[in-house]
Amino acid sequence: MEQIIEFPDVLELVEQHKLPKEIYAPDGTLLFLPYEPAIESPLIANRKKWRLFANYSLTDDYEVVQINTTGQLIRIKEDPDIDEMMGYTRKNHPGATVEEVISFALESTVEQTGEFKDDDEFGAYALTLYLMLAYLIHYGLLILVKD
C-alpha cells in the first residue's frame, strides 16, 4: 500500500510556533514568509497576478486525495477553509487568482458566521487563509501559475 502523507493542521502549526521561516512551491517558488511583514510574502504581493489550478483527484476515501502529477496520496482532515479553497479552484473557477480564492473563502466565512468583530480579527483570519493556501500549493494540491 502506498504511503499517505498527512496534510498539516495549519492552525496547530501556528499555535505551536512550528511554522518554517519560508514556504516554497514544489518548483522552488518562494510563497510565504510567516515571520515577516505580510506584504513581503510573494503569495500576498502577487495575489492579483498569480493563478491557481487544482492538481488532485478525489479517491474513495473522502479524506484522501491523489496528486495528479505525482500520484502521491494526501490525507486532509476536514477543514471548511481548506475544503472551500480547494473546491473553488477545482470546480468553480480553475485559474482563479490568489485574491479571488481568498476573497471567496472570506465571503463564505462571513455568510456562515457573521461579520468579523474588527479589522484585527479580519486581518488575522485573512493571513491564516493565505498560510493555508501556501500549504496547499507547497504540498502540490494546487498549482501556482505566475503571469
Side-chain angles (χ1 to χ4, degrees):
M1 182 172 175
E2 189 173 353
Q3 179 186 7
I4 299 175
I5 293 175
E6 298 289 329
F7 189 82
D9 180 331
V10 176
L11 290 176
E12 189 175 294
L13 292 175
V14 170
E15 289 169 2
Q16 296 177 359
H17 304 286
K18 291 188 176 180
L19 292 170
K21 290 184 183 198
E22 301 172 334
I23 300 170
Y24 290 90
D27 69 358
T29 299
L30 177 62
L31 298 172
F32 205 82
L33 301 161
Y35 301 103
E36 299 297 327
I39 196 63
E40 291 184 22
S41 291
L43 194 61
I44 294 173
N46 295 292
R47 68 190 177 277
K48 294 181 180 183
K49 296 188 286 186
W50 289 358
R51 299 191 171 278
L52 297 164
F53 294 89
N55 185 37
Y56 67 92
S57 300
L58 303 176
T59 67
D60 293 337
D61 181 340
Y62 78 98
E63 284 190 344
V64 177
V65 296
Q66 185 170 30
I67 304 296
N68 294 339
T69 52
T70 65
Q72 181 63 56
L73 297 173
I74 308 245
R75 180 181 322 279
I76 305 172
K77 297 209 168 51
E78 192 171 335
D79 181 298
D81 295 319
I82 299 272
D83 292 346
E84 295 231 330
M85 290 189 286
M86 288 174 65
Y88 183 81
T89 305
R90 183 171 183 259
K91 295 182 216 167
N92 304 44
H93 294 282
T97 64
V98 169
E99 182 174 63
E100 290 168 337
V101 173
I102 296 295
S103 293
F104 175 78
L106 286 167
E107 289 168 16
S108 180
T109 298
V110 168
E111 283 177 18
Q112 295 170 22
T113 63
E115 293 291 329
F116 292 96
K117 67 179 179 185
D118 57 31
D119 288 346
D120 289 342
E121 183 182 50
F122 174 82
Y125 193 75
L127 279 175
T128 301
L129 291 174
Y130 276 104
L131 187 55
M132 290 175 173
L133 190 57
Y135 270 95
L136 287 169
I137 298 164
H138 173 77
Y139 276 81
L141 294 155
L142 298 178
I143 292 175
L144 181 72
V145 177
K146 298 178 261 182
D147 284 349

